[in-house]
Amino acid sequence: EDQVTQSPEALRLQEGESSSLNCSYTVSGLRGLFWYRQDPGKGPEFLFTLYSAGEEKEKERLKATLTKKESFLHITAPKPEDSATYLCAVLTGANNLFFGTGTRLTVIP
Amino acid sequence: EAEVAQSPRYKITEKSQAVAFWCDPISGHATLYWYRQILGQGPELLVQFQDESVVDDSQLPKDRFSAERLKGVDSTLKIQPAELGDSAMYLCASSPRLTPVDTQYFGPGTRLTVL
């Protein structure tokens, strides 16, 4: 059965305190892994797509990496405006997109 | 920058009433998706269109939910009758083509509250 698990559920960081969010997956035939950011009451905002193990992508303070079993979203020197829920989603060989439940990040000034 | 439009942004209704949500995808995007997101969870696909045709509606509760995209552009999702458990955020997304790794771009969502 296809499964996506994100951890931790919630994370509180001091401004400037770097950390990582985890997305582990068990899917049949991974076609791509997506990271989205979602602010309260809004739709998810696309961040990255990763296609194969070993791939890395960066955007400002965010860096996403992918292995055969999990993906990490590294946040370097976060700022309060990085506070949001970060969603991971995997696209399976059957062309189905499965989302995790997200990690709620709070960055304290 | 082109965006997915949704309306209304908020809807409050009583159970057993009918509700409808509207979505206008990014211009030129062939594929349109409707998702439901319960508070604290990730979005779950309800229905997927390629142009005006339904590609996947296996998770759509067809006894009360219906969706259409008559001209292959904008789309309407309807619930009749609404139930308390339908309270959620309804998200629309679009992507350029129906390819396996095409990025989906989401609209702002419609927050439905059923009383």
Side-chain angles (χ1 to χ4, degrees):
Chain A
E1 182 180 333
D2 297 329
Q3 205 163 22
V4 178
T5 304
Q6 290 190 248
S7 62
E9 289 186 11
L11 181 63
R12 290 172 64 89
L13 299 174
Q14 289 292 135
E15 183 173 1
E17 179 187 1
S18 301
S19 187
S20 296
L21 282 54
N22 177 262
C23 171
S24 62
Y25 59 89
T26 306
V27 297
S28 52
L30 179 72
R31 307 298 290 270
L33 185 141
F34 301 82
W35 281 99
Y36 286 85
R37 168 194 170 127
Q38 187 172 28
D39 292 303
K42 297 187 177 181
E45 175 189 346
F46 171 72
L47 294 174
F48 304 109
T49 307
L50 302 167
Y51 298 102
S52 58
E55 189 173 2
E56 299 182 352
K57 288 193 176 174
E58 289 188 64
K59 179 181 179 180
E60 297 180 351
R61 295 178 293 281
L62 300 176
K63 179 180 178 180
T65 61
L66 180 65
T67 72
K68 289 186 177 180
K69 294 184 177 181
E70 58 191 349
S71 176
F72 291 94
L73 185 65
H74 307 278
I75 303 177
T76 301
K79 298 182 178 181
E81 53 262 42
D82 294 323
S83 297
T85 294
Y86 290 85
L87 294 167
C88 164
V90 296
L91 188 66
T92 71
N95 203 27
N96 295 321
L97 192 65
F98 284 99
F99 280 85
T101 54
T103 293
R104 188 173 66 255
L105 175 66
T106 304
V107 182
I108 305 164
Chain B
E1 182 176 311
E3 295 181 341
V4 176
Q6 290 188 247
S7 67
R9 291 295 311 278
Y10 306 92
K11 179 69 178 179
I12 299 174
T13 190
E14 295 185 345
K15 63 179 181 180
S16 80
Q17 297 298 305
V19 292
F21 313 130
W22 177 79
C23 171
D24 191 13
I26 293 172
S27 178
H29 279 198
T31 309
L32 184 147
Y33 309 81
W34 282 102
Y35 287 87
R36 177 170 59 187
Q37 185 177 25
I38 296 170
L39 195 63
Q41 299 184 17
E44 294 181 319
L45 180 69
L46 292 174
V47 61
Q48 178 181 343
F49 290 92
Q50 170 74 11
D51 298 316
E52 67 276 6
S53 300
V54 173
V55 173
D56 182 357
D57 64 356
S58 58
Q59 300 304 311
L60 189 70
K62 298 181 187 63
D63 57 335
R64 298 186 300 109
F65 286 64
S66 64
E68 60 183 17
R69 193 184 184 198
L70 293 176
K71 297 183 179 179
V73 180
D74 58 339
S75 175
T76 301
L77 178 69
K78 297 179 181 178
I79 308 175
Q80 182 174 16
E83 295 181 352
L84 296 178
D86 296 332
S87 294
M89 174 79 88
Y90 290 82
L91 294 163
C92 179
S94 70
S95 62
R97 305 171 303 276
L98 183 62
T99 61
V101 291
D102 227 1
T103 298
Q104 298 181 27
Y105 297 92
F106 284 82
T110 296
R111 168 72 67 187
L112 173 66
T113 301
V114 181
L115 303 176

